[in-house]
Amino acid sequence: MSFLVLYLFCLTFTAIVADDEPTFIYPDTFNDAERDSFYYGTFPEDFLWSTATASYQIEGAWNVDGKGPSIWDTFTHEPGNIDNAHNGDDACDSYHKYQDDVNAMKALGLKYYRFSISWSRVLPNGTIDHINQPGIDYYNNLIDALKEADISPMVTLYHWDLPQALQDKGGWKNDEIIEHFADYSRLCFETFGDRVGFWITFNEPWVFTVMGHEYGSMAPGLIEPGTTPYIVAHNLLRSHAKAYHIYDDSYRATQKGQIGITLNSDYYQASDVDDPDTVEAAERAQQFVMGWFANPVYYGDYPDVMKTTIAEKSEKQGFNASRLPEFTEAEKLSLAGSSDFFGFNCYTTSYARPIKNTATPLVPPSWSTDQDVFSWKSPDWPTSGSDWLRPVPWGARRLLNWIKKKYGNPVIYITENGISTNDTFNVNDQIRIDYYSAYLSEVLKAIELDEVNVKGYTAWSLMDNFEWARGYTERFGLHYVDFNSQEKTRVPKDSATFYAKVIADNGFPSSGVQSSLVNGGVKVLVLAVAFVFGMK
Ligand code: PNW
């Protein structure tokens, strides 16, 4: 007893005399000692460190060796869709320079690499009728080069580049796509699965559903708000479940991998936490972005709040059924529990408040007005090269906790996290080091203090690449790429050196050698004293 009291007293004393002042990464904006202090420590021993890319953003070789066109080839070649009329025709030319990518990863000390397969490179018209062998060879070579470097692949089946031939048949609006996606998935499991431990069916369904089919700012560029996005999401979720079960039934036993889905969302922070309506609006926004996909995948159906609001509005708008489709009982069963892990792409935070104006015309319908939420970013928050992305580290921890709470404490892999800069040559990217430090510190707090089950972290991106509608004007890379050069050399930025050290140290072991020595020394001393007294 006396030992315990003395020990606790000594620990408190140690903390008072030896602990550092809190460190803030964004001292001007986020300086609440409780919320924003940098958290030193190391990640769990088997923590998985990775970086990510996506086929259309890096491969180039858009019409080489039998590859069929994808909706992104079509979209970028139409004038007016992409800043500076950029396109991914050449991008980082990873189709030819994949060994350079692997070398860059090796230098980082990476153990995992997340990339995506271009569906129309392996199946040029989207269907299993014609397999393009050079496309298969490319991914086999990449996977083998990774294995050779002791790097495990984490493969995304769909990172937005649908074969144009399937878009011509209605794309995700046509439920025949479910069978085509099943064939494509089976081919990938069969061909590459002996060497792939992690499969991700879809990357960020929310982005390509809403940006691609409601706003039209991404391929396929459809502006069909309020109906098409829900149908697209519905077919995609059914495709996901089908692919999951193909893997589960036919490949898991022999290949011993895992399969899941990757979702993204801002964290929606109620702008007034004392107002229940505002708190409810923030929750509604979270459900309309993340719950839309996660709820079916974990529980077999859309969130109640979506089902009721969309049904109500649809009726008032004169639709004879809800614009939100319904799953059959069999589909619900096949969806529920169809992810071995929660893939989470983590970037930013928004404030949210309700739109209470009932005079708002209910027509035309849209996903964004269905929510009755107004969301925005504080102008006080730090900026990035992208207008939608402001660093708000504490939002990441809150959203991780939200996922834990809503979906039964799932295993979470952060499958993307990163920040953009604008297009000026700058390998001295302190902004990226700050962002990664601050976000990683929040992830560590989530693991250690909140017991959120995060098992891996992926930096977006290995290198600068084609940033969708922004072309090459926004750069997310740990490596700089000169897109005007033939060589497209991957030049490490300061953030690459930083990330390599984080990986080598498995985190941020201490706030500095000196203070840890002081801390350690004092602790040994007081323990010794406590022990001696405790014996008496
Ligand atoms: C993700 N938003 O896209 C994608 O998975 C990557 O391909 C992309 O390059 C990266 O993040 C950076 O943009 C997002 O508006 C695009 O919230 C837009 C949003 C989020 C993610």
Side-chain angles (χ1 to χ4, degrees):
M1 184 62 191
S2 56
F3 171 80
L4 187 69
V5 172
L6 202 60
Y7 177 59
L8 287 177
F9 165 76
C10 291
L11 273 193
T12 319
F13 176 72
T14 316
I16 293 167
V17 297
D19 263 7
D20 297 338
E21 287 292 298
T23 308
F24 300 116
I25 306 286
Y26 300 105
D28 299 338
T29 327
F30 302 128
N31 46 29
D32 179 321
E34 179 97 13
R35 187 191 64 187
D36 303 315
S37 306
F38 189 79
Y39 188 81
Y40 289 93
T42 51
F43 285 78
E45 216 160 271
D46 51 356
F47 197 73
L48 178 163
W49 295 101
S50 180
T51 62
T53 61
S55 47
Y56 187 73
Q57 297 182 272
I58 65 160
E59 286 178 5
W62 75 282
N63 58 356
V64 169
D65 288 349
K67 177 184 168 292
S70 81
I71 55 173
W72 272 95
D73 294 313
T74 310
F75 190 70
T76 54
H77 293 159
E78 255 165 42
N81 285 338
I82 311 294
D83 293 354
N84 299 349
H86 287 161
N87 59 54
D89 289 4
D90 299 326
C92 306
D93 197 19
S94 288
Y95 186 69
H96 299 108
K97 299 185 189 304
Y98 65 90
Q99 189 61 54
D100 294 4
D101 298 346
V102 176
N103 294 345
M105 288 175 230
K106 230 173 139 174
L108 286 174
L110 282 178
K111 288 279 171 240
Y112 285 83
Y113 173 49
R114 174 175 176 238
F115 66 92
S116 79
I117 294 179
S118 156
W119 187 342
S120 66
R121 196 180 289 289
V122 295
L123 298 176
N125 53 30
T127 65
I128 200 73
D129 309 345
H130 170 49
I131 298 172
N132 181 41
Q133 193 55 43
I136 302 279
D137 295 344
Y138 169 63
Y139 294 109
N140 270 330
N141 292 339
L142 168 61
I143 292 170
D144 290 345
L146 288 167
K147 288 279 170 186
E148 182 73 31
D150 203 18
I151 298 168
S152 304
M154 212 184 213
V155 180
T156 309
L157 291 169
Y158 188 81
H159 202 123
W160 310 351
D161 44 355
L162 185 71
Q164 181 61 42
L166 293 182
Q167 186 62 43
D168 296 342
K169 296 182 194 161
W172 293 101
K173 286 202 275 184
N174 180 346
D175 64 9
E176 281 175 20
I177 196 136
I178 301 169
E179 277 312 313
H180 297 310
F181 187 73
D183 290 341
Y184 164 59
S185 306
R186 200 178 290 109
L187 172 71
C188 292
F189 301 149
E190 184 75 39
T191 316
F192 310 118
D194 56 333
R195 289 151 293 157
V196 175
F198 285 94
W199 292 100
I200 293 166
T201 53
F202 288 91
N203 178 69
E204 300 189 352
W206 178 81
V207 172
F208 84 88
T209 300
V210 172
M211 311 275 180
H213 302 83
E214 173 148 325
Y215 301 153
S217 56
M218 289 195 174
L222 301 181
I223 304 176
E224 299 175 3
T227 46
T228 300
Y230 294 127
I231 296 167
V232 164
H234 201 66
N235 286 332
L236 169 167
L237 282 161
R238 297 196 286 169
S239 305
H240 161 81
K242 181 134 195 172
Y244 177 87
H245 288 287
I246 290 173
Y247 189 78
D248 203 39
D249 295 344
S250 308
Y251 297 97
R252 188 194 294 281
T254 48
Q255 301 184 348
K256 304 198 177 2
Q258 302 186 36
I259 177 163
I261 192 166
T262 274
L263 306 179
N264 74 295
S265 175
D266 287 13
Y267 177 66
Y268 290 93
Q269 170 64 52
S271 58
D272 177 357
V273 289
D274 297 322
D275 174 37
D277 287 348
T278 307
V279 172
E280 205 181 301
E283 171 69 14
R284 203 157 58 238
Q286 206 72 74
Q287 293 290 359
F288 263 79
V289 179
M290 189 165 259
W292 185 6
F293 301 95
N295 218 76
V297 164
Y298 281 86
Y299 302 120
D301 204 357
Y302 296 115
D304 285 339
V305 68
M306 287 187 79
K307 290 200 289 186
T308 46
T309 16
I310 299 167
E312 256 171 45
K313 292 203 179 198
S314 303
E315 200 188 329
K316 285 189 195 152
Q317 290 157 341
F319 289 84
N320 49 21
S322 177
R323 287 177 282 105
L324 185 70
E326 281 178 26
F327 294 114
T328 63
E329 289 308 312
E331 286 168 349
K332 287 182 187 171
L333 282 175
S334 116
L335 269 161
S338 61
S339 207
D340 299 330
F341 55 86
F342 195 116
F344 170 38
N345 285 358
C346 171
Y347 285 97
T348 189
T349 290
S350 290
Y351 278 125
R353 65 166 172 75
I355 296 176
K356 285 187 180 163
N357 186 0
T358 44
T360 310
L362 285 162
V363 180
S366 70
W367 166 84
S368 55
T369 51
D370 278 342
Q371 301 169 64
D372 294 323
V373 176
F374 181 72
S375 64
W376 73 99
K377 311 224 178 251
S378 166
D380 301 337
W381 293 340
T383 56
S384 75
S386 311
D387 55 13
W388 59 272
L389 202 178
R390 284 173 183 262
V392 187
W394 49 261
R397 180 176 174 194
R398 289 182 190 184
L399 188 42
L400 285 168
N401 274 279
W402 189 87
I403 295 170
K404 175 188 177 197
K405 191 166 138 215
K406 296 288 166 174
Y407 307 112
N409 196 16
V411 167
I412 301 173
Y413 289 103
I414 294 178
T415 39
E416 284 181 28
N417 177 236
I419 190 170
S420 55
T421 51
N422 61 19
D423 185 28
T424 44
F425 179 80
N426 196 351
V427 292
N428 310 118
D429 55 344
Q430 188 60 38
I431 176 179
R432 194 161 284 108
I433 296 176
D434 288 346
Y435 181 92
Y436 282 135
S437 307
Y439 272 70
L440 278 168
S441 157
E442 295 300 316
V443 174
L444 192 55
K445 288 180 198 172
I447 296 172
E448 291 219 335
L449 307 179
D450 313 331
E451 295 178 348
V452 180
N453 206 358
V454 186
K455 288 194 169 294
Y457 175 90
T458 311
W460 182 272
S461 176
L462 173 66
M463 59 195 160
D464 296 336
N465 57 48
F466 179 80
E467 179 51 25
W468 308 112
R470 300 286 78 79
Y472 299 103
T473 64
E474 294 177 11
R475 293 171 175 272
F476 277 85
L478 294 163
H479 292 82
Y480 175 84
V481 177
D482 177 357
F483 294 103
N484 295 318
S485 78
Q486 212 39 34
E487 297 73 26
K488 304 194 194 298
T489 312
R490 287 75 166 121
V491 183
K493 302 181 189 177
D494 290 352
S495 56
T497 314
F498 161 85
Y499 193 45
K501 174 142 175 57
V502 172
I503 296 172
D505 292 347
N506 198 31
F508 308 94
S510 76
S511 55
V513 176
Q514 224 185 354
S515 66
S516 75
L517 280 183
V518 172
N519 264 324
V522 176
K523 270 175 193 157
V524 167
L525 189 70
V526 293
L527 264 178
V529 173
F531 186 68
V532 169
F533 275 92
M535 298 290 282
K536 288 191 173 169

